[in-house]
Amino acid sequence: MTGFEDLIATISDFFWTYVLSFLLIITGLVYTFRLKFFQFRMFGHIISKTIGQVFKKNKHKGTITPFQAFTSALASTAGATNIVGVP
């Protein structure tokens, strides 16, 4: 049985290292060219709309600030990993 497990591990290692890496790099390059380098052209806009808006105060009643949304998302992620990690 160990020979079969070794074969499966070897095939899995090959696909998860070489094939998947190649596919991810090619997909990233295709999208970069198809979107005309969007992530570089709009870098300032992306930063201003994400990090620049974190401490902005909302004036509407019943809404939360971007900082409150960020901290609640971070807390739920950390809480879920703590619960799943214990068992």
Side-chain angles (χ1 to χ4, degrees):
M1 191 67 167
T2 58
F4 180 70
E5 290 174 356
D6 291 340
L7 176 68
I8 295 297
T10 304
I11 293 170
S12 177
D13 288 342
F14 174 76
F15 279 110
W16 280 103
T17 53
Y18 300 111
V19 176
L20 187 63
S21 299
F22 177 75
L23 287 176
L24 287 173
I25 290 169
I26 293 301
T27 303
L29 289 173
V30 166
Y31 277 118
T32 297
F33 285 106
R34 293 275 313 240
L35 294 174
K36 299 174 185 160
F37 296 88
F38 175 79
Q39 67 269 34
F40 300 113
R41 286 187 296 122
M42 303 299 283
F43 185 74
H45 179 73
I46 293 168
I47 294 299
S48 71
K49 291 298 178 186
T50 54
I51 297 172
Q53 297 286 326
V54 169
F55 297 107
K56 182 181 175 187
K57 301 290 182 191
N58 286 341
K59 296 182 173 122
H60 303 291
K61 185 177 180 180
T63 60
I64 63 172
T65 64
F67 183 72
Q68 290 171 332
F70 169 73
T71 54
S72 65
L74 184 63
S76 65
T77 303
T81 56
N82 285 338
I83 292 170
V84 172
V86 170

Coordinates of all heavy atoms in Angstrom, one line a residue:
M1 N 0.8 -1.2 0.0 CA 0.0 0.0 0.0 C 0.9 1.3 0.0 O 0.4 2.3 -0.5 CB -0.9 0.0 1.2 CG -2.0 1.0 1.2 SD -3.1 0.7 -0.1 CE -4.4 1.7 0.3
T2 N 2.1 1.2 0.6 CA 2.9 2.4 0.6 C 3.4 2.8 -0.8 O 3.6 4.0 -1.0 CB 4.1 2.2 1.5 OG1 4.9 1.1 1.1 CG2 3.7 2.0 3.0
G3 N 3.5 1.8 -1.7 CA 3.9 2.1 -3.0 C 2.9 2.9 -3.8 O 3.2 3.9 -4.5
F4 N 1.6 2.6 -3.6 CA 0.5 3.3 -4.1 C 0.4 4.7 -3.6 O 0.2 5.7 -4.3 CB -0.8 2.6 -3.9 CG -2.0 3.2 -4.5 CD1 -2.2 3.3 -5.9 CD2 -3.0 3.8 -3.7 CE1 -3.3 4.0 -6.4 CE2 -4.1 4.5 -4.2 CZ -4.2 4.5 -5.6
E5 N 0.6 4.8 -2.3 CA 0.5 6.2 -1.6 C 1.7 7.0 -2.1 O 1.5 8.2 -2.3 CB 0.6 6.0 -0.1 CG -0.6 5.4 0.5 CD -0.5 5.1 2.0 OE1 0.6 5.3 2.5 OE2 -1.5 4.7 2.6
D6 N 2.9 6.4 -2.3 CA 4.0 7.2 -2.8 C 3.7 7.7 -4.2 O 4.1 8.8 -4.6 CB 5.3 6.3 -2.8 CG 5.8 6.1 -1.4 OD1 5.4 6.8 -0.5 OD2 6.5 5.1 -1.2
L7 N 3.1 6.8 -5.0 CA 2.7 7.2 -6.4 C 1.8 8.4 -6.4 O 1.9 9.4 -7.1 CB 2.1 6.0 -7.2 CG 1.6 6.3 -8.6 CD1 2.8 6.7 -9.5 CD2 0.8 5.2 -9.1
I8 N 0.7 8.3 -5.6 CA -0.3 9.4 -5.5 C 0.4 10.7 -5.0 O 0.1 11.8 -5.5 CB -1.4 9.0 -4.6 CG1 -2.2 7.8 -5.2 CG2 -2.4 10.1 -4.3 CD1 -2.9 8.1 -6.5
A9 N 1.3 10.6 -4.0 CA 2.0 11.7 -3.5 C 2.9 12.4 -4.5 O 2.9 13.6 -4.6 CB 2.8 11.4 -2.2
T10 N 3.5 11.6 -5.3 CA 4.4 12.1 -6.4 C 3.6 12.8 -7.4 O 4.0 13.9 -7.9 CB 5.2 10.9 -7.0 OG1 5.9 10.3 -6.0 CG2 6.2 11.5 -8.1
I11 N 2.5 12.2 -7.9 CA 1.6 12.8 -8.9 C 1.0 14.1 -8.3 O 1.0 15.2 -9.0 CB 0.5 11.9 -9.3 CG1 1.2 10.7 -10.1 CG2 -0.5 12.6 -10.2 CD1 0.2 9.6 -10.4
S12 N 0.6 14.1 -7.1 CA 0.0 15.3 -6.4 C 1.0 16.4 -6.3 O 0.7 17.6 -6.6 CB -0.6 14.9 -5.1 OG -1.0 16.0 -4.4
D13 N 2.2 16.1 -5.9 CA 3.3 17.1 -5.8 C 3.6 17.7 -7.1 O 3.8 18.9 -7.2 CB 4.5 16.5 -5.2 CG 4.4 16.1 -3.7 OD1 3.5 16.7 -3.1 OD2 5.2 15.3 -3.2
F14 N 3.6 16.9 -8.2 CA 3.9 17.4 -9.5 C 2.8 18.4 -9.9 O 3.1 19.5 -10.4 CB 4.0 16.3 -10.5 CG 4.1 16.7 -11.9 CD1 5.3 17.2 -12.4 CD2 3.0 16.7 -12.8 CE1 5.4 17.7 -13.7 CE2 3.1 17.1 -14.1 CZ 4.4 17.6 -14.6
F15 N 1.5 18.0 -9.8 CA 0.4 18.9 -10.2 C 0.4 20.2 -9.3 O 0.1 21.3 -9.8 CB -0.9 18.2 -10.2 CG -1.1 17.3 -11.4 CD1 -1.1 16.0 -11.3 CD2 -1.3 17.9 -12.6 CE1 -1.3 15.2 -12.4 CE2 -1.5 17.2 -13.8 CZ -1.5 15.8 -13.7
W16 N 0.6 20.0 -8.0 CA 0.4 21.2 -7.2 C 1.6 22.1 -7.2 O 1.6 23.3 -6.8 CB 0.2 20.8 -5.7 CG -1.2 20.4 -5.5 CD1 -1.7 19.1 -5.4 CD2 -2.3 21.3 -5.3 NE1 -3.0 19.2 -5.2 CE2 -3.5 20.5 -5.1 CE3 -2.5 22.6 -5.3 CZ2 -4.7 21.0 -4.9 CZ3 -3.7 23.2 -5.1 CH2 -4.8 22.4 -4.9
T17 N 2.8 21.7 -7.7 CA 3.9 22.6 -7.9 C 4.1 23.1 -9.3 O 4.0 24.3 -9.5 CB 5.2 21.9 -7.4 OG1 5.3 20.7 -8.2 CG2 5.2 21.6 -6.0
Y18 N 4.3 22.2 -10.2 CA 4.6 22.7 -11.6 C 3.3 23.1 -12.4 O 3.3 24.2 -12.9 CB 5.3 21.6 -12.3 CG 6.6 21.2 -11.7 CD1 6.8 20.0 -11.0 CD2 7.7 22.2 -11.6 CE1 8.0 19.7 -10.4 CE2 8.9 21.9 -11.0 CZ 9.0 20.6 -10.4 OH 10.2 20.3 -9.7
V19 N 2.4 22.2 -12.5 CA 1.2 22.5 -13.3 C 0.4 23.7 -12.8 O 0.1 24.6 -13.5 CB 0.3 21.3 -13.5 CG1 -1.0 21.6 -14.2 CG2 1.1 20.1 -14.1
L20 N 0.1 23.7 -11.5 CA -0.7 24.8 -10.9 C 0.0 26.1 -11.0 O -0.5 27.1 -11.3 CB -1.1 24.4 -9.5 CG -2.1 25.4 -8.8 CD1 -3.4 25.4 -9.6 CD2 -2.3 25.1 -7.4
S21 N 1.3 26.1 -10.7 CA 2.1 27.3 -10.8 C 2.1 27.9 -12.2 O 1.9 29.1 -12.4 CB 3.6 27.1 -10.3 OG 3.6 26.6 -9.0
F22 N 2.3 27.0 -13.2 CA 2.3 27.4 -14.6 C 0.9 28.0 -14.9 O 0.8 29.1 -15.5 CB 2.6 26.3 -15.5 CG 2.5 26.6 -16.9 CD1 3.5 27.3 -17.5 CD2 1.5 26.1 -17.7 CE1 3.5 27.6 -18.9 CE2 1.4 26.4 -19.0 CZ 2.4 27.2 -19.6
L23 N -0.2 27.4 -14.6 CA -1.5 27.9 -14.9 C -1.8 29.2 -14.2 O -2.4 30.1 -14.8 CB -2.6 26.8 -14.5 CG -2.6 25.6 -15.4 CD1 -3.6 24.6 -14.8 CD2 -3.0 26.0 -16.8
L24 N -1.4 29.4 -13.0 CA -1.6 30.6 -12.3 C -0.8 31.8 -12.9 O -1.4 32.9 -13.1 CB -1.3 30.5 -10.8 CG -2.2 29.7 -9.9 CD1 -1.7 29.5 -8.5 CD2 -3.6 30.4 -9.9
I25 N 0.4 31.5 -13.3 CA 1.2 32.6 -13.9 C 0.6 32.9 -15.3 O 0.5 34.1 -15.6 CB 2.7 32.1 -14.0 CG1 3.3 32.1 -12.6 CG2 3.5 33.0 -14.9 CD1 4.7 31.4 -12.6
I26 N 0.3 31.9 -16.1 CA -0.3 32.2 -17.4 C -1.6 33.0 -17.3 O -1.9 33.9 -18.0 CB -0.5 30.9 -18.2 CG1 0.9 30.3 -18.5 CG2 -1.3 31.1 -19.5 CD1 1.8 31.2 -19.3
T27 N -2.5 32.5 -16.3 CA -3.8 33.2 -16.1 C -3.6 34.7 -15.7 O -4.2 35.6 -16.2 CB -4.6 32.5 -15.1 OG1 -4.8 31.1 -15.5 CG2 -6.0 33.1 -14.9
G28 N -2.6 34.9 -14.8 CA -2.3 36.3 -14.4 C -1.8 37.1 -15.6 O -2.2 38.3 -15.7
L29 N -1.0 36.6 -16.4 CA -0.5 37.3 -17.5 C -1.6 37.6 -18.6 O -1.7 38.7 -19.1 CB 0.7 36.6 -18.2 CG 2.0 36.6 -17.4 CD1 3.0 35.7 -18.1 CD2 2.5 38.0 -17.3
V30 N -2.4 36.6 -18.8 CA -3.5 36.8 -19.7 C -4.5 37.9 -19.3 O -4.8 38.9 -20.0 CB -4.3 35.5 -20.0 CG1 -5.6 35.8 -20.7 CG2 -3.5 34.5 -20.7
Y31 N -4.8 37.9 -18.0 CA -5.7 38.9 -17.5 C -5.0 40.3 -17.4 O -5.7 41.3 -17.6 CB -6.2 38.6 -16.1 CG -7.4 37.7 -16.1 CD1 -7.4 36.4 -15.6 CD2 -8.6 38.1 -16.7 CE1 -8.5 35.6 -15.6 CE2 -9.7 37.2 -16.8 CZ -9.6 36.0 -16.3 OH -10.7 35.2 -16.3
T32 N -3.7 40.3 -17.2 CA -3.0 41.6 -17.2 C -3.0 42.2 -18.5 O -3.3 43.4 -18.7 CB -1.5 41.4 -16.7 OG1 -1.5 40.9 -15.4 CG2 -0.7 42.7 -16.8
F33 N -2.8 41.5 -19.6 CA -2.8 42.0 -20.9 C -4.3 42.3 -21.4 O -4.5 43.3 -22.1 CB -2.1 41.1 -21.9 CG -0.6 41.1 -21.8 CD1 0.1 40.1 -21.2 CD2 0.1 42.2 -22.2 CE1 1.4 40.2 -21.0 CE2 1.5 42.3 -22.1 CZ 2.1 41.3 -21.5
R34 N -5.2 41.5 -21.1 CA -6.6 41.7 -21.5 C -7.2 42.9 -20.9 O -8.0 43.6 -21.5 CB -7.5 40.5 -21.2 CG -7.2 39.2 -21.9 CD -7.8 39.1 -23.3 NE -9.2 39.5 -23.3 CZ -10.2 38.7 -23.7 NH1 -9.9 37.4 -24.0 NH2 -11.4 39.1 -23.7
L35 N -6.9 43.2 -19.6 CA -7.4 44.3 -18.9 C -6.5 45.5 -19.0 O -6.7 46.6 -18.4 CB -7.6 44.0 -17.4 CG -8.7 42.9 -17.1 CD1 -8.7 42.6 -15.7 CD2 -10.0 43.5 -17.6
K36 N -5.5 45.5 -19.9 CA -4.6 46.6 -20.2 C -3.9 47.1 -19.0 O -3.9 48.3 -18.7 CB -5.3 47.7 -21.0 CG -5.9 47.2 -22.3 CD -6.7 48.3 -22.9 CE -7.4 47.7 -24.1 NZ -8.5 48.4 -24.6
F37 N -3.3 46.2 -18.2 CA -2.5 46.5 -17.0 C -3.3 47.4 -16.0 O -2.8 48.3 -15.4 CB -1.2 47.3 -17.4 CG -0.3 46.4 -18.2 CD1 -0.4 46.4 -19.6 CD2 0.7 45.6 -17.6 CE1 0.5 45.6 -20.3 CE2 1.5 44.8 -18.3 CZ 1.4 44.8 -19.7
F38 N -4.5 46.9 -15.8 CA -5.5 47.6 -14.9 C -4.9 47.8 -13.5 O -5.0 48.9 -12.9 CB -6.8 46.8 -14.8 CG -7.8 47.4 -13.8 CD1 -8.5 48.5 -14.2 CD2 -7.9 46.8 -12.6 CE1 -9.4 49.0 -13.3 CE2 -8.8 47.3 -11.7 CZ -9.6 48.4 -12.0
Q39 N -4.2 46.8 -12.9 CA -3.7 46.8 -11.6 C -2.6 47.9 -11.4 O -2.4 48.4 -10.3 CB -3.3 45.5 -11.0 CG -2.1 44.9 -11.7 CD -2.5 44.0 -12.9 OE1 -3.4 44.3 -13.6 NE2 -1.7 43.0 -13.1
F40 N -1.9 48.2 -12.5 CA -0.9 49.2 -12.4 C -1.4 50.6 -12.7 O -1.0 51.6 -12.1 CB 0.3 48.9 -13.4 CG 0.9 47.5 -13.1 CD1 0.8 46.5 -13.9 CD2 1.6 47.4 -11.9 CE1 1.3 45.3 -13.7 CE2 2.1 46.1 -11.6 CZ 2.0 45.1 -12.5
R41 N -2.3 50.7 -13.7 CA -2.9 52.0 -14.1 C -3.7 52.6 -13.0 O -3.7 53.8 -12.8 CB -3.8 51.8 -15.4 CG -3.0 51.6 -16.6 CD -3.9 51.7 -17.8 NE -4.9 50.6 -17.8 CZ -6.2 50.7 -17.8 NH1 -6.8 51.9 -17.9 NH2 -7.0 49.7 -17.8
M42 N -4.5 51.8 -12.3 CA -5.4 52.3 -11.3 C -5.0 52.1 -9.9 O -5.8 52.1 -9.0 CB -6.8 51.5 -11.5 CG -7.4 51.7 -12.9 SD -7.7 53.4 -13.3 CE -9.2 53.7 -12.4
F43 N -3.7 51.9 -9.7 CA -3.1 51.7 -8.4 C -3.5 52.8 -7.4 O -3.9 52.5 -6.2 CB -1.6 51.5 -8.4 CG -1.0 51.1 -7.1 CD1 -1.2 49.8 -6.6 CD2 -0.3 52.0 -6.4 CE1 -0.6 49.4 -5.4 CE2 0.3 51.6 -5.1 CZ 0.1 50.3 -4.7
G44 N -3.3 54.0 -7.8 CA -3.7 55.1 -6.9 C -5.1 55.1 -6.5 O -5.5 55.4 -5.3
H45 N -6.0 54.9 -7.4 CA -7.4 54.8 -7.1 C -7.8 53.7 -6.2 O -8.6 53.8 -5.3 CB -8.2 54.7 -8.5 CG -9.7 54.6 -8.3 ND1 -10.4 55.7 -8.0 CD2 -10.5 53.6 -8.4 CE1 -11.7 55.4 -7.9 NE2 -11.8 54.1 -8.2
I46 N -7.2 52.5 -6.4 CA -7.4 51.4 -5.6 C -7.0 51.6 -4.1 O -7.8 51.4 -3.2 CB -6.7 50.1 -6.1 CG1 -7.3 49.7 -7.5 CG2 -6.7 49.0 -5.2 CD1 -6.5 48.7 -8.2
I47 N -5.8 52.2 -4.0 CA -5.3 52.5 -2.6 C -6.2 53.6 -2.0 O -6.6 53.5 -0.8 CB -3.9 53.0 -2.7 CG1 -3.0 51.8 -3.1 CG2 -3.4 53.5 -1.3 CD1 -3.0 50.6 -2.2
S48 N -6.6 54.6 -2.7 CA -7.5 55.7 -2.1 C -8.8 55.2 -1.7 O -9.4 55.6 -0.7 CB -7.6 56.9 -3.0 OG -8.4 56.5 -4.2
K49 N -9.4 54.2 -2.4 CA -10.7 53.7 -2.1 C -10.7 52.6 -1.1 O -11.7 52.3 -0.5 CB -11.4 53.1 -3.4 CG -11.7 54.2 -4.4 CD -12.7 55.2 -3.8 CE -13.1 56.3 -4.7 NZ -13.9 57.3 -4.1
T50 N -9.5 52.0 -0.8 CA -9.5 51.0 0.2 C -8.8 51.5 1.5 O -9.5 51.7 2.5 CB -8.7 49.7 -0.3 OG1 -7.4 50.2 -0.7 CG2 -9.4 49.0 -1.4
I51 N -7.6 51.8 1.5 CA -6.9 52.2 2.7 C -7.3 53.7 3.0 O -7.4 54.0 4.2 CB -5.4 52.1 2.5 CG1 -5.0 50.6 2.3 CG2 -4.6 52.7 3.6 CD1 -3.6 50.4 2.0
G52 N -7.5 54.5 2.0 CA -7.8 55.9 2.2 C -9.2 56.1 2.8 O -9.5 57.1 3.4
Q53 N -10.1 55.1 2.7 CA -11.4 55.3 3.2 C -11.6 54.6 4.6 O -12.7 54.7 5.1 CB -12.4 54.6 2.2 CG -12.4 55.3 0.9 CD -13.1 56.6 0.9 OE1 -14.1 56.8 1.6 NE2 -12.7 57.5 0.1
V54 N -10.6 54.0 5.1 CA -10.8 53.3 6.4 C -11.2 54.2 7.5 O -12.1 53.8 8.3 CB -9.5 52.5 6.8 CG1 -9.5 52.0 8.2 CG2 -9.2 51.4 5.8
F55 N -10.7 55.4 7.6 CA -11.0 56.2 8.8 C -12.0 57.3 8.4 O -12.2 58.2 9.2 CB -9.7 56.9 9.3 CG -8.8 55.8 9.9 CD1 -7.6 55.5 9.2 CD2 -9.1 55.1 11.0 CE1 -6.8 54.6 9.6 CE2 -8.2 54.2 11.5 CZ -7.0 53.9 10.8
K56 N -12.7 57.1 7.3 CA -13.8 58.1 6.9 C -15.0 57.9 7.8 O -15.4 56.7 8.0 CB -14.1 57.9 5.5 CG -15.1 58.9 5.0 CD -15.4 58.7 3.5 CE -16.5 59.6 3.0 NZ -16.9 59.3 1.7
K57 N -15.7 58.9 8.2 CA -16.9 58.8 9.0 C -18.1 58.9 8.1 O -18.2 59.7 7.2 CB -17.0 60.0 10.0 CG -15.8 60.1 11.0 CD -15.9 59.0 12.0 CE -14.7 59.1 12.9 NZ -14.5 58.0 13.8
N58 N -19.1 58.0 8.4 CA -20.3 58.0 7.6 C -21.3 58.9 8.3 O -21.4 59.0 9.5 CB -20.9 56.6 7.6 CG -20.2 55.7 6.6 OD1 -19.5 56.2 5.8 ND2 -20.3 54.4 6.8
K59 N -22.0 59.7 7.5 CA -23.0 60.7 8.0 C -24.4 60.1 8.0 O -25.3 60.8 8.5 CB -22.9 62.0 7.2 CG -21.5 62.6 7.4 CD -21.5 63.9 6.6 CE -20.1 64.6 6.9 NZ -19.3 64.8 5.8
H60 N -24.6 59.0 7.5 CA -26.0 58.4 7.4 C -26.3 57.6 8.6 O -25.4 57.0 9.2 CB -26.1 57.5 6.2 CG -25.8 58.2 4.9 ND1 -26.6 59.2 4.4 CD2 -24.8 58.1 4.0 CE1 -26.1 59.6 3.2 NE2 -24.9 59.0 3.0
K61 N -27.5 57.7 9.1 CA -27.9 57.0 10.3 C -28.1 55.5 10.0 O -28.6 55.1 8.9 CB -29.2 57.5 10.8 CG -29.7 57.0 12.1 CD -31.0 57.6 12.6 CE -31.4 56.9 13.9 NZ -32.6 57.5 14.4
G62 N -27.6 54.7 10.9 CA -27.7 53.2 10.7 C -26.6 52.6 9.9 O -26.8 51.4 9.5
T63 N -25.6 53.3 9.5 CA -24.5 52.7 8.8 C -23.3 52.6 9.7 O -23.2 53.2 10.7 CB -24.1 53.6 7.6 OG1 -23.7 54.9 8.0 CG2 -25.3 53.7 6.6
I64 N -22.3 51.7 9.2 CA -21.1 51.6 10.0 C -20.0 52.2 9.2 O -20.0 52.3 8.0 CB -20.8 50.1 10.3 CG1 -20.6 49.3 9.1 CG2 -21.9 49.5 11.2 CD1 -20.2 47.8 9.3
T65 N -18.9 52.5 9.9 CA -17.8 53.1 9.2 C -17.0 52.0 8.5 O -17.1 50.8 8.9 CB -16.9 53.8 10.2 OG1 -16.3 52.9 11.1 CG2 -17.6 54.9 10.9
P66 N -16.1 52.3 7.6 CA -15.3 51.3 7.0 C -14.3 50.6 8.0 O -14.1 49.4 7.8 CB -14.5 52.1 5.9 CG -15.3 53.2 5.6 CD -16.1 53.6 6.8
F67 N -13.9 51.4 9.0 CA -13.0 50.8 10.0 C -13.8 49.7 10.8 O -13.3 48.7 11.1 CB -12.5 51.8 10.9 CG -11.5 51.3 11.9 CD1 -10.3 50.9 11.5 CD2 -11.9 51.2 13.3 CE1 -9.4 50.4 12.5 CE2 -11.0 50.7 14.2 CZ -9.8 50.3 13.8
Q68 N -15.1 50.0 11.1 CA -15.9 49.0 11.8 C -16.1 47.8 11.0 O -16.1 46.7 11.5 CB -17.2 49.7 12.3 CG -17.1 50.7 13.3 CD -18.4 51.5 13.6 OE1 -19.2 51.6 12.7 NE2 -18.6 51.9 14.8
A69 N -16.3 48.0 9.7 CA -16.5 46.8 8.8 C -15.3 46.0 8.7 O -15.3 44.8 8.8 CB -16.9 47.3 7.4
F70 N -14.1 46.7 8.6 CA -12.8 46.0 8.6 C -12.6 45.2 9.9 O -12.2 44.0 9.8 CB -11.7 46.9 8.4 CG -10.3 46.4 8.5 CD1 -9.8 45.5 7.6 CD2 -9.6 46.7 9.6 CE1 -8.6 44.9 7.8 CE2 -8.3 46.2 9.8 CZ -7.8 45.3 8.9
T71 N -12.8 45.8 11.0 CA -12.5 45.1 12.3 C -13.5 43.9 12.5 O -13.1 42.9 13.1 CB -12.5 46.1 13.5 OG1 -13.8 46.8 13.5 CG2 -11.4 47.0 13.4
S72 N -14.8 44.1 12.1 CA -15.7 43.0 12.3 C -15.4 41.8 11.4 O -15.5 40.7 11.8 CB -17.1 43.5 12.1 OG -17.3 43.9 10.8
A73 N -14.9 42.1 10.1 CA -14.5 41.1 9.2 C -13.3 40.3 9.7 O -13.2 39.1 9.7 CB -14.3 41.6 7.8
L74 N -12.3 41.1 10.3 CA -11.1 40.5 10.8 C -11.4 39.7 12.0 O -10.9 38.6 12.2 CB -10.1 41.6 11.2 CG -8.8 41.2 11.7 CD1 -8.0 40.4 10.6 CD2 -8.0 42.4 12.1
A75 N -12.3 40.2 12.9 CA -12.7 39.4 14.1 C -13.4 38.1 13.8 O -13.2 37.1 14.4 CB -13.6 40.3 15.0
S76 N -14.3 38.2 12.8 CA -15.0 36.9 12.4 C -14.1 35.9 11.8 O -14.2 34.7 12.0 CB -16.2 37.3 11.4 OG -15.7 37.7 10.2
T77 N -13.1 36.4 11.0 CA -12.1 35.5 10.4 C -11.2 34.8 11.5 O -11.0 33.6 11.5 CB -11.2 36.2 9.4 OG1 -12.1 36.8 8.4 CG2 -10.2 35.3 8.7
A78 N -10.8 35.7 12.4 CA -9.9 35.1 13.5 C -10.7 34.2 14.4 O -10.2 33.2 14.9 CB -9.3 36.3 14.3
G79 N -12.0 34.6 14.7 CA -12.8 33.7 15.5 C -13.1 32.4 14.9 O -13.1 31.4 15.6
A80 N -13.3 32.4 13.6 CA -13.6 31.1 12.9 C -12.4 30.2 12.9 O -12.5 29.0 13.1 CB -14.1 31.4 11.5
T81 N -11.2 30.8 12.7 CA -10.0 30.0 12.7 C -9.7 29.5 14.1 O -9.2 28.3 14.3 CB -8.8 30.8 12.2 OG1 -8.6 31.9 13.0 CG2 -9.0 31.1 10.7
N82 N -10.0 30.2 15.1 CA -9.8 29.7 16.5 C -10.7 28.6 16.8 O -10.3 27.6 17.5 CB -10.0 30.8 17.5 CG -8.8 31.8 17.5 OD1 -7.7 31.5 17.1 ND2 -9.1 33.0 18.0
I83 N -12.0 28.7 16.4 CA -12.9 27.6 16.7 C -12.6 26.3 15.9 O -12.6 25.2 16.4 CB -14.4 28.1 16.3 CG1 -14.8 29.1 17.3 CG2 -15.4 26.9 16.3 CD1 -16.1 29.8 16.9
V84 N -12.2 26.5 14.6 CA -11.9 25.3 13.8 C -10.5 24.7 14.2 O -10.4 23.5 14.1 CB -11.8 25.8 12.3 CG1 -11.3 24.7 11.4 CG2 -13.2 26.2 11.8
G85 N -9.6 25.6 14.7 CA -8.3 25.1 15.0 C -8.3 24.3 16.3 O -7.4 23.4 16.5
V86 N -9.3 24.5 17.2 CA -9.3 23.8 18.5 C -9.5 22.3 18.3 O -8.8 21.4 18.8 CB -10.3 24.4 19.4 CG1 -10.5 23.5 20.7 CG2 -9.8 25.8 19.8
P87 N -10.5 21.8 17.5 CA -10.7 20.4 17.4 C -9.6 19.7 16.6 O -9.2 18.6 16.8 CB -12.0 20.3 16.6 CG -12.7 21.5 16.7 CD -11.7 22.6 16.9

